[in-house]
Amino acid sequence: ANALIYRMRDRMGVEPDDYSFNGVLLAWSRTSGGMSSARHCESILRSMRNPTNVSWSTVINAYTHAGGALEAAGLLKEMEDRARDSARHQSSKHASNTLSIVVYNNVIHAWSRNTDPDASKYAEAILKRLESGSGSLNLPKPDVISYRLVLNA
């Protein structure tokens, strides 16, 4: 998948769009390469001009399944920071659209699988942020999966 993206751009002069990159991200996130594959996904994400919510979610999911709770949480924070900045320049509705419950549940899931002694506290802290709506971000409401993941943490 990677080679095809480079061939599109370098040999054929066709700039890959977000959907092309998301396909590559999905392929890499489904490999059994662990943290190495997840990091590669993040490097692809960083090379994208305008990554979509699907792009971010796919990379977070890759870290979740690779045991990278800290990395997944870092990307979530970055998404929140971007949403906060976007909300300052646009309507707050836009910020809530970029932060889906799926992304939050992926990070809670990452913490629920983590061996860090404080992992359950980190998972619950995310749930509490969702419950409070976290001010200007207008976060999504937690769903039954959010609570189940915290219970399993």
Side-chain angles (χ1 to χ4, degrees):
N2 249 11
L4 189 57
I5 290 288
Y6 292 118
R7 198 165 79 210
M8 281 175 69
R9 186 178 11 201
D10 299 339
R11 288 190 195 165
M12 303 307 296
V14 176
E15 188 61 34
D17 61 6
D18 296 334
Y19 297 103
S20 303
F21 279 111
N22 285 345
V24 174
L25 287 172
L26 186 60
W28 272 101
S29 73
R30 290 181 173 173
T31 67
S32 57
M35 286 297 284
S36 175
S37 293
R39 285 187 188 102
H40 187 71
C41 283
E42 185 175 354
S43 73
I44 293 168
L45 176 80
R46 303 278 179 216
S47 74
M48 294 173 68
R49 287 188 185 152
N50 295 305
T52 65
N53 296 334
V54 171
S55 311
W56 287 90
S57 183
T58 303
V59 177
I60 286 172
N61 191 45
Y63 275 123
T64 296
H65 291 287
L70 190 60
E71 292 82 358
L75 287 175
L76 176 62
K77 183 186 180 321
E78 190 174 337
M79 282 185 79
E80 289 176 337
D81 292 344
R82 287 172 175 254
R84 199 173 285 111
D85 290 344
S86 178
R88 286 187 196 119
H89 297 88
Q90 298 176 7
S91 70
S92 62
K93 182 180 178 188
H94 177 72
S96 65
N97 289 338
T98 62
L99 300 168
S100 76
I101 193 61
V102 173
V103 172
Y104 283 90
N105 285 346
N106 272 329
V107 178
I108 293 171
H109 187 208
W111 284 120
S112 74
R113 297 172 49 153
N114 195 277
T115 58
D116 185 305
D118 292 325
S120 61
K121 291 177 186 173
Y122 297 138
E124 188 172 11
I126 294 170
L127 178 66
K128 287 180 179 178
R129 279 198 344 253
L130 292 171
E131 289 174 331
S132 74
S134 200
S136 65
L137 278 180
N138 193 22
L139 298 181
K141 297 288 183 211
D143 61 13
V144 67
I145 296 168
S146 310
Y147 289 99
R148 191 174 336 129
L149 289 167
V150 172
L151 285 170
N152 291 330

